[in-house]
Amino acid sequence: MSLQYFSITFDMGDHDNEIWLALLGEWSFESFHEEESKITGYIQDHDITENLMQFIGEQKGIHFEDYELALVADKNWNEVWESSFNPVAVDDYCYIRATFHPIEKHFKHVITISPKMAFGTGHHATTFMMLQAMSEIDFKGKRVFDFGCGTGILGIVAAREGAAEVIGVDIQTEAIENSDEHAEMNEVGERCKFYLGGIEKAGNDPFDVILANINRNVILQYMLELSSLLKVDGFLLISGIMFDDVEIIKNVLGKLNFEVIELKEKDQWVQMTVRSKA
């Protein structure tokens, strides 16, 4: 049985796109598309809950002007999604393309993906900054945990950088299927293993690097467990948070003996690179 998706298109008017995207990110949307003064979120039918619709109704006029809910026809989905996907260049470090885009050879890594409904294509500021931060870390021979792997791009780049083992998890079945497909497409399938579930799938062996591009609430909820999975002097790369979240995150990190190495900001989103201390 094929999945059934709906689109919810928000007419933003003069409201702030990034704030509304951050609020929507707390719900079960699988991807977003921005075009002029509109934001379209894509979501499976079973995730359109009464609580979600009540939340949207309460925010109308505050964070957007109006919205429209529509069924996305299965037979048109791939064509629609692929037509809206453009390559992403992260400095000269990483180029993310679909199979129908030409290969650009002057990047360190050229990652090929199949554009589908999963977070992490590189278009969003958080994924972009995570890749920038990864370019500054030595992954050779390291164990890497990708917490909320989405499309698998971050883990795949870690493997391309020489990571010995990458374990990724996500609570969305489609994300795991997408990540597995992308790992094979990019010839790192033997070193990248993606599992359906949460942090419990990480096992007990510590990691050298943990990638967590999710959202503030999930990061705070699992920060203690993430810290216990990280080796001394290991790196934790965080994003999915906004500037107003930084002090809250820093406070928790300080209590867990983490040192903030670098902080990046793009489009009101923030990426933090931190290191565990003895």
Side-chain angles (χ1 to χ4, degrees):
M1 182 177 178
S2 60
L3 299 173
Q4 190 171 57
Y5 285 96
F6 281 80
S7 65
I8 306 181
T9 300
F10 300 93
D11 182 353
M12 296 304 297
D14 295 327
H15 298 281
D16 190 298
N17 283 24
E18 295 300 328
I19 292 176
W20 185 231
L21 279 169
L23 293 171
L24 290 175
E26 303 293 324
W27 299 85
S28 297
F29 288 90
E30 296 196 13
S31 62
F32 297 100
H33 178 67
E34 294 182 72
E35 185 174 359
E36 297 180 351
S37 62
K38 295 185 184 297
I39 293 175
T40 300
Y42 296 95
I43 188 169
Q44 291 188 41
D45 56 349
H46 60 75
D47 289 323
I48 304 177
T49 62
E50 183 178 344
N51 287 340
L52 171 61
M53 298 314 295
Q54 180 179 345
F55 167 75
I56 290 174
E58 291 172 349
Q59 302 305 314
K60 181 178 178 180
I62 301 175
H63 290 295
F64 64 91
E65 291 300 315
D66 205 354
Y67 73 93
E68 180 180 356
L69 176 68
L71 174 66
V72 179
D74 289 341
K75 64 179 182 180
N76 294 327
W77 174 246
N78 285 337
E79 179 183 350
V80 171
W81 191 242
E82 288 183 1
S83 68
S84 67
F85 180 82
N86 294 314
V88 179
V90 180
D91 303 325
D92 59 356
Y93 177 66
C94 185
Y95 184 73
I96 302 165
R97 62 180 283 273
T99 54
F100 48 84
H101 294 133
I103 296 176
E104 298 289 341
K105 296 183 178 180
H106 62 279
F107 291 87
K108 184 176 183 181
H109 300 293
V110 176
I111 306 299
T112 303
I113 69 171
S114 177
K116 295 178 182 176
M117 297 185 69
F119 178 77
T121 59
H123 291 88
H124 198 274
T126 58
T127 309
F128 188 95
M129 289 187 293
M130 287 287 283
L131 288 166
Q132 284 185 319
M134 289 176 67
S135 71
E136 302 166 5
I137 290 179
D138 180 11
F139 284 91
K140 290 182 175 62
K142 303 297 177 61
R143 293 191 78 234
V144 178
F145 180 49
D146 188 355
F147 186 39
C149 58
T151 56
I153 286 177
L154 300 183
I156 289 165
V157 171
R160 283 283 193 88
E161 282 283 338
E165 181 184 15
V166 176
I167 294 177
V169 301
D170 203 292
I171 60 173
Q172 297 287 342
T173 302
E174 297 77 21
I176 300 305
E177 293 173 351
N178 217 192
S179 296
D180 283 336
E181 178 184 2
H182 291 158
E184 293 298 326
M185 290 173 66
N186 291 279
E187 302 178 344
V188 292
E190 292 185 359
R191 284 178 289 139
C192 293
K193 303 301 178 186
F194 299 102
Y195 300 99
L196 181 65
I199 199 167
E200 73 282 354
K201 297 291 186 179
N204 298 316
D205 295 333
F207 293 89
D208 300 285
V209 182
I210 296 178
L211 310 170
N213 184 18
I214 312 181
N215 63 57
R216 183 191 73 167
N217 292 342
V218 175
I219 289 170
L220 290 174
Q221 180 181 353
Y222 292 102
M223 186 69 81
L224 180 60
E225 291 173 80
L226 290 172
S227 68
S228 68
L229 285 172
L230 192 63
K231 294 179 180 180
V232 174
D233 288 329
F235 289 96
L236 170 63
L237 277 61
I238 301 169
S239 199
I241 59 177
M242 303 196 76
F243 189 77
D244 291 343
D245 303 325
V246 170
E247 290 307 316
I248 297 172
I249 300 290
K250 278 185 175 181
N251 184 49
V252 175
L253 289 170
K255 293 178 180 178
L256 294 173
N257 209 29
F258 279 108
E259 175 188 9
V260 178
I261 303 299
E262 187 176 17
L263 188 149
K264 299 180 187 295
E265 184 178 356
K266 179 179 173 64
D267 300 335
Q268 300 187 46
W269 294 93
V270 172
Q271 185 276 322
M272 301 174 70
T273 298
V274 302
R275 184 167 55 197
S276 62
K277 298 187 292 185

